[in-house]
Amino acid sequence: MTPTVYIKSRRRKIAAYTAPVAGQLLALHIIPYAAPMHPKWTAYYYKTYREDIAVHLSAYRKNQHWEANVAKLAEARPDIVICTDRVDQAEKEKLDRVAPVVYVPWELNWRDQLRFIAEALGETREAELWLESYDRKITMARDRLRREATEDTVLILRISNQTLSAYCNRSMAEVFYGDLRMPASCLGGGAEYDQRITPEQLADVQADRLLLLIRQETETLNFWSSLQHSAAWLDLKAVRNHRVCYISSDPWCEYSASAHERIVITGSLEAMEDALALGVKPVGGITVGGKFPGMFAEITGSTQPIGEKAQPDIEAILKLKPDVILSTTKFPAEVGDKLVKIAPTIPVSHVSTDWEANLRLLAELTGNEAKAEQILQKYKADLENAKKQLGEKLKDKKVVIVRIRAGNIMIYHDDIFFNPSLYADLGLTVPEQVKAAKSQEVISLEKFSEMNPDYIFVQFSEDENADKPKALEDLQNNPIWKSLNAVKNNRVFVNVVDPLAQGGTAWSKVQFLKAAIENLNK
């Protein structure tokens, strides 16, 4: 929290009577003096602001303890209380005795609620500035989603106890389907709905993508564990295409400005590789094991470290005062929330098949559009030549790429890591075990031997095997490994590209195509 925000927040003791009101105040750069706090029900506010908010009201099950909250407010003596008008008469009468109360009409949409609160507090300019910033982020996110998801239809499913529901609350309707313009695939009528549905009915809907809102309690989790292994679920279009994502009630079930910003925004090595391809020298970059990987040497001479790939250093990023931050969709939501407070933040997709859009994104930001198009055209031309060179040589041959991580053999689904280069680009046959893999998956050597590949590409980095530095050596000495066709025929290729290469970037694909053709022609 900056000194300016701190001083503004402490100048007046403003109480947020509900969590959505707290979300509106935070958008106005006001830390409430009192607000509902709970590690589960208001998890984001609890983790981020619990030390800054002096008076913690109960947030248990949507104001179930309202009488205790009113009593605590009376003792705290706030200057003003902000509350929605969805309170009953008895509660209102007691609240009115505590301090002046601003009742925000719930019938207003969230933007007008923000303006209503801002006007009551003399913060109209802050509200308009925040909304302008939000709209810019919406435009960037919408353009990004249009490139990645094209016209894919999306259905949000709520799973509670032992029931499935096609679900859309007010925030989802206005932000996800409204502001972001995601094509809806729904059964309910109107903007909001909560309609029970069976897996069999889901098959008729044919949604391209599913977002799952799963209640976090035992009965629901047991039901979900059983459901996701059922034939009806596994046969759904979105499940077959690995287009299922999980969302949480925080922020998706909160109707406030701050929560909606967190729905829109969910340093990356993928972006670093694109910078390498384009010759862009970033002011800050992600390190691995405290140093920049050697592959980035030509662009990181003056680059400042901004943390590890799994844990960016927010303080270091803040000091650099960046114009824009390219994060990764691998980051947890809380990391994205912190980054977006520093500068406009664009989450770069870690999905391999998004590599062209990722390269063009950085090119647009840095004025390198022409160079990006040259890279893409050259790759496509080189790919066509490669296909001609290989001809029918690899027909019916099994070619796989694995990565050794923490001493384990990892295989990947056919649209992840370097696999799109092998199977989609070069047109090689996808082994059944690769098709069946759920994103990244550990496979035992015994199971791997059943696949018995004819060609194996192995990626091994000491940084990813710190506890088992001899994992590759041990694997190579294992009798089962030695019995594989690829090993017996000297068709195992280790680290043909840098072992820390992400696979689904322009740089990775260009380098891997060169190495693959050289080795597959042997």
Side-chain angles (χ1 to χ4, degrees):
M1 181 170 57
T2 66
T4 302
V5 173
Y6 182 86
I7 291 169
K8 179 193 286 189
S9 300
R10 289 297 175 261
R11 192 180 301 141
R12 292 173 292 179
K13 293 181 177 180
I14 302 172
Y17 192 63
T18 61
V21 169
Q24 302 286 32
L25 290 174
L26 289 167
L28 298 174
H29 299 113
I30 295 173
I31 307 292
Y33 173 68
M37 289 279 110
H38 192 280
K40 178 180 179 181
W41 305 107
T42 59
Y44 174 76
Y45 300 135
Y46 182 83
K47 291 177 183 176
T48 310
Y49 298 106
R50 68 179 182 271
E51 295 179 1
D52 299 313
I53 295 174
V55 180
H56 292 194
L57 304 179
S58 171
Y60 184 68
R61 294 195 173 178
K62 294 189 177 179
N63 211 29
Q64 181 171 313
H65 299 150
W66 70 265
E67 290 179 301
N69 282 344
V70 172
K72 185 174 281 191
L73 282 177
E75 184 179 340
R77 303 177 65 182
D79 296 323
I80 190 170
V81 177
I82 313 292
C83 177
T84 65
D85 61 2
R86 295 198 309 172
V87 291
D88 61 32
Q89 189 59 33
E91 188 173 0
K92 183 177 184 298
E93 289 175 1
K94 289 193 175 184
L95 200 55
D96 286 341
R97 298 191 195 112
V98 172
V101 182
V102 174
Y103 291 100
V104 183
W106 188 250
E107 65 184 19
L108 296 178
N109 65 45
W110 67 273
R111 292 170 183 263
D112 288 339
Q113 287 184 25
L114 179 67
R115 292 185 174 107
F116 186 94
I117 294 171
E119 184 175 353
L121 299 175
E123 299 288 352
T124 300
R125 177 167 169 74
E126 285 286 357
E128 296 307 324
L129 288 173
W130 190 94
L131 288 168
E132 288 174 11
S133 173
Y134 172 83
D135 286 335
R136 286 194 298 271
K137 292 169 187 172
I138 278 287
T139 299
M140 287 193 296
R142 191 165 54 222
D143 290 345
R144 178 78 179 173
L145 287 169
R146 188 181 294 117
R147 290 196 297 266
E148 294 184 6
T150 58
E151 296 300 317
D152 286 0
T153 57
V154 183
L155 178 67
I156 299 174
L157 281 180
R158 186 170 68 90
I159 304 178
S160 179
N161 298 327
Q162 297 189 39
T163 61
L164 289 172
S165 298
Y167 183 67
C168 182
N169 62 27
R170 199 175 179 187
S171 293
M172 295 166 182
E174 294 180 19
V175 178
F176 188 68
Y177 293 120
D179 291 347
L180 291 174
R181 300 176 191 169
M182 294 302 294
S185 174
C186 65
L187 303 178
E192 301 172 53
Y193 50 87
D194 188 0
Q195 182 174 341
R196 293 182 69 166
I197 189 171
T198 66
E200 290 72 24
Q201 290 171 324
L202 270 176
D204 295 332
V205 175
Q206 287 292 304
D208 296 304
R209 296 173 184 266
L210 294 175
L211 300 185
L212 306 184
L213 181 63
I214 303 174
R215 187 179 177 191
Q216 299 299 300
E217 53 79 42
T218 304
E219 183 180 4
T220 302
L221 295 175
N222 286 340
F223 172 71
W224 167 235
S225 178
S226 174
L227 175 67
Q228 64 184 310
H229 293 101
S230 67
W233 179 263
L234 292 171
D235 195 46
L236 293 176
K237 179 181 179 181
V239 178
R240 293 197 314 269
N241 294 328
H242 303 276
R243 295 291 184 264
V244 179
C245 297
Y246 300 93
I247 59 176
S248 60
S249 58
D250 180 13
W252 289 77
C253 293
E254 180 186 313
Y255 194 68
S256 78
S258 295
H260 295 166
E261 184 180 42
R262 285 185 281 134
I263 291 174
V264 174
I265 304 298
T266 335
S268 77
L269 285 177
E270 290 87 356
M272 291 278 284
E273 287 194 27
D274 285 334
L276 181 61
L278 294 171
V280 173
K281 298 180 180 180
V283 294
I286 292 295
T287 58
V288 178
K291 61 183 184 299
F292 293 119
M295 60 191 283
F296 299 125
E298 64 186 78
I299 62 168
T300 54
S302 59
T303 303
Q304 296 297 311
I306 55 170
E308 292 291 288
K309 66 176 182 176
Q311 191 172 4
D313 185 335
I314 302 300
E315 292 291 330
I317 298 171
L318 186 61
K319 289 177 183 177
L320 291 175
K321 299 180 181 179
D323 296 315
V324 66
I325 300 170
L326 297 181
S327 67
T328 172
T329 50
K330 294 177 185 176
F331 279 167
E334 57 266 24
V335 174
D337 292 333
K338 292 177 181 177
L339 293 175
V340 77
K341 294 177 182 177
I342 300 173
T345 300
I346 303 174
V348 176
S349 174
H350 69 281
V351 179
S352 295
T353 49
D354 295 331
W355 70 282
E356 291 185 60
N358 287 343
L359 183 69
R360 287 190 171 111
L361 169 65
L362 184 59
E364 289 172 19
L365 291 171
T366 59
N368 283 289
E369 292 95 333
K371 189 168 185 177
E373 293 309 315
Q374 288 174 3
I375 292 170
L376 295 174
Q377 290 172 17
K378 187 175 187 309
Y379 178 80
K380 290 172 183 177
D382 290 345
L383 179 61
E384 289 306 311
N385 289 332
K387 288 180 180 178
K388 291 176 183 177
Q389 286 183 46
L390 291 175
E392 296 292 307
K393 178 179 180 180
L394 298 178
K395 186 179 179 181
D396 300 326
K397 298 291 185 181
K398 290 182 182 177
V399 182
V400 297
I401 183 165
V402 299
R403 181 152 57 175
I404 311 299
R405 279 184 152 176
N408 296 310
I409 302 174
M410 313 298 294
I411 61 170
Y412 298 81
H413 190 260
D414 57 357
D415 62 356
I416 296 175
F417 196 38
F418 285 98
N419 281 346
S421 295
L422 287 174
Y423 308 125
D425 295 358
L426 290 172
L428 305 183
T429 303
V430 184
E432 291 302 318
Q433 294 87 339
V434 171
K435 285 182 184 178
K438 294 180 175 63
S439 62
Q440 176 179 261
E441 194 170 283
V442 175
I443 186 170
S444 68
L445 181 54
E446 289 74 18
K447 283 287 183 185
F448 189 71
S449 69
E450 293 175 8
M451 193 190 321
N452 197 17
D454 299 291
Y455 296 81
I456 304 173
F457 291 92
V458 179
Q459 293 293 94
F460 175 85
S461 169
E462 293 180 0
D463 295 287
E464 295 184 328
N465 294 275
D467 294 333
K468 296 186 177 180
K470 294 187 177 181
L472 178 60
E473 182 182 336
D474 291 341
L475 179 66
Q476 292 169 328
N477 290 326
N478 191 296
I480 299 176
W481 178 263
K482 290 180 178 180
S483 70
L484 300 177
N485 284 340
V487 178
K488 290 189 291 186
N489 294 318
N490 295 317
R491 289 172 177 165
V492 176
F493 315 112
V494 179
N495 292 345
V496 294
V497 295
D498 192 285
L500 291 176
Q502 298 300 290
T505 72
W507 188 89
S508 283
K509 290 179 76 71
V510 168
Q511 301 302 317
F512 184 73
L513 181 62
K514 293 177 185 174
I517 296 307
E518 179 184 341
N519 289 287
L520 292 175
N521 269 321
K522 290 180 179 178

